[in-house]
Amino acid sequence: QVHGIVRRSSSFNTGRIEHLYKNPQAHIEGNMKLHYGDLTDSTCLVKIINEVKPTEIYNLGAQSHVKISFDLAEYTADVDGVGTLRLLDAIKTCGLINSVKFYQASTSELFGKVQEIPQKETTPFYPRSPYGAAKLYAYWIVVNFREAYNLFAVNGILFNHESPRRGANFVTRKISRSVAKIHLGQLDCFSLGNLDAKRDWGHARDYVEAMWLMLQTDEPEDFVIATGEVHSVREFVEKSFKHIGKTIVWEGKNENEVGRCKETGKIHVTVNHKYYRPTEVDFLQGDCTKARQKLNWKPRVTFD
């Protein structure tokens, strides 16, 4: 049985989990039950946890868009940082410290301005955004509850994990959706930010399995989950266009750079400074040796 928390909204905001309803058309619940709540409201968290009495809690709730966290800095801190504390406190208030296993969605953005390559569990953190800084507080408050109250609580430091359910304004989905629209003749051109940012991209399906495995161990420990492979946004664009039989040739420099189709001569990609971050994270590459050894986990879905 899976219970989830859904924010109240004037429009349905369950699009990505629609298929999990017993009857998606009528929003009738089966093994998944949704409760109205919010990570900024500790009263509802206590109420829900007390009613459900879960055995595992996965805190995947966050304002998770790095660029937007610069515009919504206080809200991001409240939800991603203090929200985690509210959940942990709710577990304690409900007297479930000894019966709940808690998973915290940490992030490779904790490493930000990387202090070593590749990044592993012992690499010093250096967040470069309000999102990263809020997640840093969440990381340490989880460690604190584990050490202070003996709560089974773990941080999964997951590197970028993508899937068709990724939000449309994240770079991977933005690229794949735009390329699909260009192929269908619905779009001519789209804009991106830093084309040379390099990321360690994996698939959400693999990474969620790793999250579950972390809660099945005997002792709570923090793990880095990654593929160990690095690719640039530029390369992601090129490979996406290859899927529709187009070769992208780059022309110009910096903000004047464009991606032109070799076959047709049309410009399909431009660079817009509004998509740059005030402080950029240039390079992320994870080392998941510990997860391979202790969880027997390895990524199955390759970049291609």
Side-chain angles (χ1 to χ4, degrees):
Q1 250 201 343
V2 176
H3 290 259
I5 294 178
V6 61
R7 277 168 293 166
R8 157 74 188 129
S9 167
S10 299
S11 51
F12 276 122
N13 54 357
T14 51
R16 291 188 214 162
I17 53 171
E18 214 74 24
H19 62 291
L20 296 174
Y21 282 108
K22 194 173 177 182
N23 180 342
Q25 281 71 39
H27 287 98
I28 291 168
E29 297 159 329
N31 286 341
M32 172 185 76
K33 181 165 169 45
L34 297 179
H35 305 259
Y36 280 113
D38 200 292
L39 283 169
T40 60
D41 182 343
S42 47
T43 312
C44 76
L45 298 178
V46 169
K47 206 166 76 198
I48 294 163
I49 287 172
N50 197 41
E51 183 193 326
V52 174
K53 295 204 168 33
T55 49
E56 296 181 349
I57 293 177
Y58 294 84
N59 179 25
L60 313 180
Q63 190 301 101
S64 64
H65 199 289
V66 178
K67 173 75 171 77
I68 292 168
S69 78
F70 286 95
D71 303 319
L72 296 179
E74 185 188 330
Y75 174 75
T76 302
D78 194 17
V79 174
D80 303 15
V82 186
T84 304
L85 172 64
R86 291 188 187 102
L87 261 182
L88 292 166
D89 254 336
I91 292 170
K92 193 162 155 264
T93 302
C94 297
L96 298 176
I97 286 278
N98 297 320
S99 57
V100 163
K101 289 186 169 186
F102 183 85
Y103 173 86
Q104 167 62 15
S106 283
T107 167
S108 56
E109 289 286 331
L110 293 175
F111 299 121
K113 191 174 177 180
V114 300
Q115 302 300 292
E116 68 174 343
I117 294 170
Q119 297 89 55
K120 52 184 186 285
E121 290 80 7
T122 52
T123 304
F125 298 133
Y126 195 142
R128 294 267 282 175
S129 64
Y131 169 75
K135 283 286 194 177
L136 186 66
Y137 174 84
Y139 174 93
W140 283 115
I141 203 67
V142 166
V143 172
N144 184 247
F145 266 69
R146 181 167 71 212
E147 293 174 355
Y149 307 112
N150 219 13
L151 172 68
F152 191 111
V154 303
N155 284 291
I157 306 173
L158 271 54
F159 279 65
N160 295 51
H161 40 293
E162 311 301 322
S163 87
R165 286 187 209 142
R166 176 65 113 169
N169 64 346
F170 285 80
V171 71
T172 48
R173 282 293 273 149
K174 184 177 180 179
I175 295 166
S176 58
R177 281 166 59 93
S178 299
V179 169
K181 285 175 182 172
I182 286 167
H183 185 59
L184 296 168
Q186 298 170 4
L187 186 74
D188 287 327
C189 186
F190 64 98
S191 297
L192 294 169
N194 182 6
L195 294 169
D196 294 311
K198 292 185 170 68
R199 292 292 182 269
D200 182 330
W201 276 300
H203 197 286
R205 189 184 286 269
D206 286 340
Y207 286 42
V208 170
E209 184 194 12
M211 286 162 33
W212 179 79
L213 285 169
M214 283 178 222
L215 293 196
Q216 312 316 311
T217 57
D218 294 333
E219 290 296 319
E221 287 185 76
D222 305 325
F223 288 92
V224 161
I225 302 297
T227 69
E229 254 186 52
V230 176
H231 301 274
S232 66
V233 172
R234 188 186 295 277
E235 192 186 338
F236 203 106
V237 171
E238 291 165 3
K239 285 200 184 264
S240 300
F241 274 103
K242 270 274 182 280
H243 269 276
I244 61 165
K246 288 181 185 288
T247 312
I248 291 294
V249 181
W250 303 100
E251 300 169 3
K253 280 253 183 311
N254 301 329
E255 282 170 55
N256 298 317
E257 189 169 8
V258 296
R260 193 186 291 277
C261 176
K262 188 176 165 186
E263 290 76 14
T264 64
K266 278 187 186 168
I267 290 176
H268 289 314
V269 187
T270 59
V271 173
N272 189 330
H273 200 261
K274 80 170 184 179
Y275 297 121
Y276 277 76
R277 303 169 185 179
T279 37
E280 186 57 69
V281 172
D282 297 311
F283 185 95
L284 292 174
Q285 180 182 17
D287 175 357
C288 68
T289 305
K290 182 180 172 182
R292 282 177 190 271
Q293 291 170 350
K294 293 200 169 184
L295 303 176
N296 202 15
W297 177 88
K298 63 175 191 291
R300 294 192 188 96
V301 182
T302 64
F303 180 72
D304 283 331

